[in-house]
Amino acid sequence: MSKLENAVPGYKHLVVEPYTPNIGATIRDIDLAKIGDEGLRAELRKALAEFQVLFFRKQTLTPEQQIEVAKVFGDPDKAKAFFPRHEKHSVIEVLEARPAGHRYGTDQWHADITFSANPPTGTVLYSHVIPQAGGDTLWASATAVYDSLPRHLQLYLEELEAVHSFEHSGWPQYFAQLEEGDAIYRQARADHLPVVHPVIQTHPITGKKIVYVNPNFTDRIKGLSRQQSDALLAFIFAQFQRPEFQARLRWEENTVAIWDNRATVHYATADYDNQHRLLHRVTFGEDRTF
Ligand code: SIN
C-alpha cells in the first residue's frame, strides 16, 4: 500500500499515517520549519488530539523554530523540570546522556512534570544525537487504559485523588550526582511541594477519560492505606505495560516527537550505556491543564 493510500481521511494539509491502532501517527511530507499556515496548524492540533503522539522524520530545526513548533500547541513558557537549559533559550531543556555521564531516571513510565499543579499539556522532543541502537522512547495511551478497565473500577477510580511529588522519582538520585546537588535538592523541595490530582481526568479537547497517575511521580492515593494504595497503583501501572496500548519510537537523528502529555505516559529506554544521546525538549502548557 502506498503511503497516500494509508493516509487518514479528513486532513487537507497533512498526510497522517497511523502508527498503531491505539496510539501514534507519523506525519509525512511536512517541513516543521514552515508551518505558518493557520489551516495546517489547526490540523496539527487536531492530529495530536486524535493520535496522542505524532512523529516527524528528517526535520531540520533551529532552536527558535522548535520553540515556534511548540507554540502551535501551547505556551512554551510553563512548568519545566530540572534538566539543564539551552544556553540561549531557557524554555529548551537539554536532555543529554554521555557514556559515564549523568542519568535522569526517565526510564520509568511518566507524564511530564505531574508533580506540578499545572503540568504541561504536551511536549516537543527533537533528536540531535542518537545511539546506533537503543534509547527508544515508548508512549502508552492513558485513555486506552481507562477504556479497558471494568465499569465498576472506572467509577471507583473517578472518586479518588492521588498525591504526586518529584521526590518519588529519579530526580533526587540525579541531584546526588551533581556538585551542588544538596543545594539544588533543597531548593527543589522548597519550590515543589507535593500536589494532588484526580486519578481520572477528562481531556478538555476530546472529552475522553484519562488514567492520570504514573509510577514516576505518583506517590499514593489519598484516603487509602499505604498497602492499599500501592496495590491499586501497581494494578493500574501494569496496564501501561500492555503492548496493545503502546507506540515505540526508534529514534533517528532529526526526528521530532510531539505528544499529548495529558492523554499519554512515556518511557525512555535506558539500554545504551556507552553511547551518546542528545535531545532538545520544549514542553508547552496552558494556565490550567484540565
Ligand atoms: C522525557 O521523559 O521527556 C524524555 C524522553 C526521552 O528522553 O526519550
Side-chain angles (χ1 to χ4, degrees), residues 130-131 133-137 248-251 268-272 277 279:
I130 290 300
D136 296 356
T137 306
R248 178 174 184 141
L249 177 67
R250 181 154 192 184
W251 291 94
T269 310
D271 57 355
Y272 55 94
R277 185 174 185 270
L279 302 99

Side-chain angles (χ1 to χ4, degrees), residues 95 106 110 112 125 137 251 259 266 268 277 279 281:
L95 280 56
T106 48
H110 63 285
D112 288 329
L125 190 60
T137 306
W251 291 94
W259 64 88
H266 57 281
R277 185 174 185 270
L279 302 99
R281 187 175 95 159

Side-chain angles (χ1 to χ4, degrees), residues 48-60:
L48 186 62
E50 190 172 350
F51 293 95
Q52 305 186 337
V53 56
L54 306 176
F55 304 128
F56 307 78
R57 298 289 191 184
K58 297 187 176 29
Q59 300 296 318
T60 309

Side-chain angles (χ1 to χ4, degrees), residues 36-111:
D37 182 88
E38 194 37 57
L40 186 146
R41 293 162 81 90
E43 286 198 353
L44 284 169
R45 290 189 283 270
K46 172 175 144 140
L48 186 62
E50 190 172 350
F51 293 95
Q52 305 186 337
V53 56
L54 306 176
F55 304 128
F56 307 78
R57 298 289 191 184
K58 297 187 176 29
Q59 300 296 318
T60 309
L61 296 177
T62 63
E64 293 79 6
Q65 286 166 336
Q66 185 180 356
I67 295 168
E68 283 309 308
V69 172
K71 285 184 183 167
V72 171
F73 302 93
D75 179 352
D77 202 6
K78 293 286 183 200
K80 298 288 166 192
F82 307 104
F83 295 106
R85 303 295 181 87
H86 187 276
E87 55 187 0
K88 291 206 188 103
H89 302 279
S90 65
V91 299
I92 299 181
E93 294 170 304
V94 178
L95 280 56
E96 182 161 32
R98 289 183 177 277
H102 299 135
R103 289 291 181 268
Y104 296 112
T106 48
D107 52 335
Q108 172 83 285
W109 289 110
H110 63 285

Side-chain angles (χ1 to χ4, degrees), residues 3 15 17 19 25-33 54-61 125-127 130-131 134-137 139 247-258 279:
K3 66 185 183 191
V15 181
E17 199 176 279
Y19 199 77
T26 302
I27 311 294
R28 306 258 177 222
D29 303 335
I30 183 171
D31 179 353
L32 286 174
L54 306 176
F55 304 128
F56 307 78
R57 298 289 191 184
K58 297 187 176 29
Q59 300 296 318
T60 309
L61 296 177
L125 190 60
Y126 177 37
S127 57
I130 290 300
D136 296 356
T137 306
W139 287 262
R248 178 174 184 141
L249 177 67
R250 181 154 192 184
W251 291 94
E252 294 161 7
E253 285 170 15
N254 299 317
T255 298
V256 173
I258 304 177
L279 302 99

